[in-house]
Amino acid sequence: MKKIQMVDLKGQYNQIKDVVNPSIQEVIDTTSFINGPKVHEFQKNLEQYLGVKHVIPCANGTDALQIAMMGLDLKPGDEVITADFTFAATVEVIALLNLTPVLVDVNPDDFNISIEAIKKAITPKTKAIVPVHLFGQCANMEAIMEIAKAHNLFVIEDNAQAIGATFTYKDGTKAKAGTIGHVASTSFFPSKNLGCYGDGGAIFTNDDDLAHRIRGIVNHGMYKRYHHDVVGVNSRLDTIQAAVLNAKLPYLDRYNEARRKAARKYNEAFKGVKNIITPITVNGCKDICDTCDCHVFHQYTLKVKGVDRDALVKHLNAHDIPCGVYYPIPLHKQKAYADARYQEADFPVTNQLIQEVISLPMHTELDDEQIAYITSTLINFING
């Protein structure tokens, strides 16, 4: 059995190097390292894939989220509601812009932001909601957009983990993750479902005026060289990274299906095992059905009940199985974001999840032998 990786970037590269290498070499040969043709080519191809009017590439996913908020012209003190159970970048950019983060609880089944918690958190100072499409599956965007419309709020989708996922409305219509809110951000960090070979990110929107503002912001506030019309930053997608992403984009659906296939095999192996709760999909699927398009499994995250999760992590690592705990500390308990406004009673789900979640290896190169070894090792620990 080949060595198990949490993310097998080398294995994936070996499958596509005949496409990636010439793309990188073309950039080097033309020396178009900043805003070269590959950046614009990738932008157009991603717009077509997503069905969104505007993709604005930038340097990384955190920048993408910050720039999206800058484009909305939010003011210091404006409140922005987001999930407590996520990576810190989401709340980090809110704080950096002197906005007021308002953390709320999540759902126990899909780990995404709770609709009821959003409703309870809205005040006259609320100006935006940032749903995080956690682990590869959309938050309930239909309900979130209804809330936003009723309260005149912006919706900024944090799509760093769910590119390629599809949201299905109650009437059966579909939209890609990141194309539903007023604006969205994504990350192309190497381990993402669509990852480059360094840092990269992008902002998505269907709003022409907003797209225009954001294009200026990412380039020092310039629309014409040395004419600074807005306060901006330096956040451009490197042309070499754009070349890598452009080469990988045609494989994205295949990659996402490979992840779903691995998730199905995990779920099947754990079926009926006491103390294990496997991930679900929320588009009316009883399980991860063959036509599932709502979850792209950036992470495969279990909940273990009545189990010493930290001992399980040590057991897996001792058997050469990498795993992760996403996330071990909720944001409301982080020193940087602690606030007297937060009460523990407001976060019952998050406080439970941090004790129970464990993410297993998930990537496009997982094979049946590896999955069998991972699942049997985990089940043996639980069964004692």
Side-chain angles (χ1 to χ4, degrees):
M1 182 178 67
K2 63 182 181 181
K3 183 179 179 181
I4 298 172
Q5 310 277 355
M6 195 67 181
V7 180
D8 187 2
L9 294 177
K10 186 173 183 179
Q12 185 187 76
Y13 165 71
N14 286 335
Q15 296 295 318
I16 59 171
K17 62 184 179 181
D18 290 344
V19 179
V20 171
N21 289 359
S23 297
I24 294 173
Q25 190 62 51
E26 181 181 340
V27 177
I28 295 171
D29 290 342
T30 61
T31 66
S32 300
F33 299 121
I34 303 295
N35 284 332
K38 285 293 183 184
V39 177
H40 304 290
E41 184 179 341
F42 171 64
Q43 171 194 322
K44 294 298 181 185
N45 288 338
L46 188 55
E47 287 170 349
Q48 184 176 9
Y49 173 83
L50 293 171
V52 70
K53 288 179 71 175
H54 304 284
V55 167
I56 302 100
C58 65
N60 58 69
T62 306
D63 276 7
L65 193 54
Q66 178 176 324
I67 292 162
M69 293 183 190
M70 291 172 70
L72 295 173
D73 199 28
L74 300 176
K75 304 299 183 185
D78 286 349
E79 292 181 354
V80 180
I81 297 171
T82 194
D84 186 41
F85 187 65
T86 186
F87 183 60
T90 310
V91 69
E92 179 179 70
V93 297
I94 298 171
L96 282 171
L97 294 173
N98 290 318
L99 307 172
T100 301
V102 178
L103 298 170
V104 300
D105 211 1
V106 297
N107 300 323
D109 49 2
D110 63 13
F111 314 120
N112 278 318
I113 193 166
S114 163
I115 299 303
E116 292 306 312
I118 292 173
K119 291 177 181 177
K120 291 178 182 177
I122 293 173
T123 75
K125 293 183 178 181
T126 306
K127 293 296 185 291
I129 305 168
V130 183
V132 181
H133 302 324
L134 201 69
F135 301 152
Q137 182 165 223
C138 281
N140 186 346
M141 287 303 296
E142 187 166 15
I144 290 169
M145 295 307 292
E146 289 171 357
I147 293 170
K149 184 177 181 180
H151 294 274
N152 195 29
L153 306 176
F154 292 115
V155 175
I156 307 153
E157 294 178 72
D158 184 337
N159 196 38
Q161 298 188 19
I163 192 161
T166 299
F167 180 80
T168 303
Y169 291 84
K170 292 175 184 176
D171 65 5
T173 58
K174 293 176 178 285
K176 289 288 190 186
T179 69
I180 303 166
H182 298 93
V183 64
S185 65
T186 201
S187 167
F188 301 126
F189 188 79
S191 64
K192 303 299 186 186
N193 294 37
L194 179 63
C196 54
Y197 294 164
D199 266 321
I203 304 114
F204 315 144
T205 185
N206 286 305
D207 184 319
D208 296 340
D209 292 337
L210 180 56
H212 177 72
R213 288 198 297 276
I214 289 172
R215 286 197 178 94
I217 292 170
V218 300
N219 190 31
H220 297 289
M222 292 189 295
Y223 301 99
K224 181 180 179 182
R225 193 163 177 80
Y226 301 124
H227 292 252
H228 304 275
D229 294 350
V230 296
V231 175
V233 297
N234 178 21
S235 185
R236 297 171 297 220
L237 180 63
D238 181 280
T239 306
I240 287 179
Q241 302 305 334
V244 171
L245 291 165
N246 204 44
K248 291 179 72 174
L249 180 58
Y251 296 90
L252 178 56
D253 286 342
R254 191 184 312 176
Y255 290 160
N256 287 341
E257 180 50 41
R259 288 170 177 266
R260 281 190 286 265
K261 183 179 179 181
R264 290 187 194 102
K265 290 178 179 178
Y266 273 137
N267 275 15
E268 183 64 29
F270 293 132
K271 189 174 291 184
V273 178
K274 187 180 178 181
N275 304 109
I276 294 180
I277 300 176
T278 54
I280 66 164
T281 57
V282 296
N283 277 357
C285 304
K286 185 178 180 181
D287 205 339
I288 310 167
C289 65
D290 291 340
T291 59
C292 177
D293 58 5
C294 61
H295 206 318
V296 296
F297 288 96
H298 174 61
Q299 301 290 351
Y300 179 86
T301 302
L302 298 170
K303 289 190 291 184
V304 289
K305 297 281 189 178
V307 173
D308 185 337
R309 192 271 316 280
D310 294 339
L312 173 58
V313 169
K314 291 179 181 178
H315 176 77
L316 293 176
N317 289 340
H319 287 78
D320 298 318
I321 299 171
C323 57
V325 175
Y326 311 119
Y327 298 91
I329 305 171
L331 292 177
H332 80 271
K333 289 185 177 179
Q334 298 285 358
K335 183 177 179 180
Y337 306 112
D339 194 296
R341 294 171 300 150
Y342 299 137
Q343 304 297 318
E344 290 306 311
D346 294 329
F347 304 100
V349 175
T350 297
N351 287 338
Q352 188 70 26
L353 290 177
I354 63 169
Q355 302 175 52
E356 297 176 346
V357 293
I358 182 169
S359 297
L360 301 182
M362 173 53 70
H363 53 80
T364 57
E365 311 305 310
L366 273 175
D367 61 36
D368 290 351
E369 184 181 17
Q370 291 175 316
I371 292 173
Y373 177 70
I374 294 165
T375 55
S376 63
T377 303
L378 194 154
I379 292 168
N380 287 340
F381 175 86
I382 288 180
N383 289 341

